[in-house]
Amino acid sequence: QVQLVESGGGLVQPGGSLRLSCAASGNIFSIYTMGWYRQAPGKQRELVATITSGGTTNYADSVKGRFTISRDNAKNTVYLQMNTLKPEDTAVYYCNAAVRSRFTDSINRYWGQGTQVTVSS
């Protein structure tokens, strides 16, 4: 089994910054694309950013220029640096990763448990 554990969420004032981390552990052979999603109350879960194993990134228009996704393959960890936070960024943020487990030929997508980000004065 593979587990994703997020950390770094919390309460921050508008204009502030947070850095989210997501560490994968378990019977991992390879990790392919990783990403961050978020879900605000009353809204569907939406894509925030993705990053491939080679470092190619993609961002939602709403966060371009403010958020940066990165990864440390040696640590099986993906990060989301969030700057100039706005109240509309308030949501539960979820980590996602496509993982090939040891001794299998299948790639499965895993989700973290989510971490709350609240932007409010």
Side-chain angles (χ1 to χ4, degrees), residues 3 9 20 28 35 40 42 67 74 79 83 100 106 108 115-116 119 121:
Q3 300 83 40
L20 306 183
I28 298 169
F67 291 10
Y79 306 93
N83 298 326
R100 180 185 174 187
S106 298
N108 294 314
T115 185
Q116 177 71 47
V119 184
S121 59

Side-chain angles (χ1 to χ4, degrees), residues 25-48:
S25 62
N27 296 322
I28 298 169
F29 182 82
S30 300
I31 302 179
Y32 302 98
T33 300
M34 306 182 79
W36 290 94
Y37 296 72
R38 67 186 182 187
Q39 187 166 22
K43 298 182 65 177
Q44 296 186 27
R45 187 172 300 186
E46 65 176 351
L47 175 68
V48 177

Side-chain angles (χ1 to χ4, degrees), residues 20 34-39 45-51 57-64 66-69 79-82 89 91-94 111:
L20 306 183
M34 306 182 79
W36 290 94
Y37 296 72
R38 67 186 182 187
Q39 187 166 22
R45 187 172 300 186
E46 65 176 351
L47 175 68
V48 177
T50 61
I51 183 168
T57 59
N58 184 52
Y59 297 92
D61 288 341
S62 59
V63 306
K64 285 181 179 177
R66 299 188 298 119
F67 291 10
T68 302
I69 188 170
Y79 306 93
L80 186 68
Q81 178 67 46
M82 304 185 293
D89 295 318
V92 177
Y93 284 70
Y94 297 90
W111 291 91

